[in-house]
Amino acid sequence: MQTMIIAHRGASKQAPENTLPAFDLAWQAGAEGIETDVQLTKDHVPVLIHDERINRTTNGSGYVKDYTFNELKQFDAGGWFDKSFSGTGIISLDDFLNWLSDKPLYLNLELKNNKIEYKDLEVIVVEHLNHYRILNDTTLSSFNPHSIERLNQMNPEIDTALLVSKKRGADVVQKAHSIGAKSLHIKYKFLTPALAAQCRQKNIALRVFTVNSSRRMAHCFQTACTGIFTDLPDKALQFRHVFNNHAPRHH
């Protein structure tokens, strides 16, 4: 199996992250999957935005949880990136799944519940995925191990991933395994052949973030990672093609 190319927040170097233009560009580029982030509004609508606050990626300020979805929709989530994207809005998970429903894309939804414990986030997200019948093509990831455990209690078939951005020594694979995570998502700097081998031994999928340079892509392909999250899916696809054509053949 070759390493899957997953667009990190969409094609987020070419369009504002976590917006429909970014997802569209990733799809047009041929990305095999999309990674995006889910928070909950004041009226419990799951929306796609990375930060708990809207300050960085909109013309508003304050916490996502303090606005209703209708209020959030009034903000411009594109102009900060480039004025050609002015008027691009924050979208709901429902809007996104509707867009995704006719496309054969793998989906990674990161539940942003490591800083704010959104009540019932797991239940709400799983209900949406079931409604669109794409739960089986989705990985639900979180930095919050309790969230992974809750998902496993709800449905042990869900593909859950533990996210790790700080090194916890050699026990990260064991930690993921012990809470029932089927995947491990790590920062690039923690990737080693030994870690990749440990994951294979435990039958845990290994995906790496955020991989934008050719040198880093090559390292991920060499260690046969399950997937990479990249802001540049078009570049990653081109480079993987070159890498595969030049990789030594084993007879």
Side-chain angles (χ1 to χ4, degrees):
M1 283 288 287
Q2 61 180 356
T3 300
M4 184 186 276
I5 306 301
I6 306 156
H8 181 244
R9 309 178 200 169
S12 54
K13 278 275 194 270
Q14 293 151 317
E17 62 181 61
N18 288 332
T19 63
L20 277 178
F23 300 137
D24 264 326
L25 280 171
W27 167 244
Q28 287 160 25
E32 292 147 347
I34 285 181
E35 184 271 350
T36 184
D37 308 283
V38 187
Q39 317 250 6
L40 274 190
T41 63
K42 188 178 182 176
D43 50 347
H44 309 295
V45 176
V47 291
L48 306 191
I49 184 168
H50 177 270
D51 301 0
E52 288 75 18
R53 294 166 67 91
I54 64 173
N55 303 43
R56 180 175 65 86
T57 56
T58 79
N59 61 344
S61 64
Y63 286 93
V64 174
K65 68 178 178 64
D66 293 334
Y67 289 100
T68 66
F69 179 49
N70 276 337
E71 288 167 344
L72 278 182
K73 280 197 289 190
Q74 310 308 313
F75 296 113
D76 178 356
W80 67 274
F81 184 88
D82 187 278
K83 63 176 186 292
S84 64
F85 291 105
S86 291
T88 301
I90 292 174
I91 60 168
S92 67
L93 177 60
D94 207 44
D95 296 330
F96 172 71
L97 294 179
N98 198 32
W99 171 87
L100 186 80
S101 58
D102 62 347
K103 298 171 182 68
L105 284 164
Y106 158 81
L107 173 60
N108 177 199
L109 285 179
E110 181 183 338
L111 306 183
K112 301 299 290 186
N113 53 7
N114 54 315
K115 291 180 182 167
I116 294 170
E117 278 267 13
Y118 292 110
K119 186 169 161 30
D120 297 327
L121 179 62
E122 297 90 358
V123 175
I124 292 166
V125 167
V126 169
E127 275 175 2
H128 278 72
L129 293 170
N130 275 328
H131 177 75
Y132 284 91
R133 300 195 175 133
I134 51 175
L135 187 61
N136 294 343
D137 302 310
T138 303
T139 300
L140 294 176
S141 62
S142 178
F143 284 103
N144 182 343
H146 302 300
S147 186
I148 305 290
E149 288 170 332
R150 284 193 289 269
L151 285 163
N152 284 329
Q153 282 160 8
M154 278 168 60
N155 179 351
E157 297 301 304
I158 294 172
D159 183 27
T160 51
L162 178 66
L163 273 156
V164 177
S165 66
K166 295 183 175 71
K167 189 69 169 158
R168 296 201 197 115
D171 65 342
V172 287
V173 178
Q174 184 51 43
K175 169 74 176 169
H177 184 68
S178 70
I179 61 170
K182 296 175 183 63
S183 308
L184 181 64
H185 294 176
I186 60 164
K187 221 173 193 167
Y188 171 79
K189 65 181 180 182
F190 302 143
L191 177 63
T192 61
L195 183 74
Q198 262 188 297
C199 284
R200 278 193 287 276
Q201 203 178 354
K202 295 268 190 205
N203 202 21
I204 287 175
L206 178 65
R207 301 182 189 91
V208 183
F209 63 92
T210 304
V211 184
N212 291 334
S213 74
S214 303
R215 184 179 61 80
R216 291 182 168 194
M217 288 172 191
H219 185 207
C220 293
F221 300 155
Q222 276 158 356
T223 48
C225 295
T226 313
I228 62 168
F229 301 107
T230 178
D231 301 326
L232 296 161
D234 52 346
K235 174 186 172 178
L237 287 155
Q238 287 161 6
F239 182 72
R240 188 183 65 186
H241 180 71
V242 171
F243 178 88
N244 288 344
N245 287 341
H246 290 86
R249 296 270 182 263
H250 296 291
H251 294 290

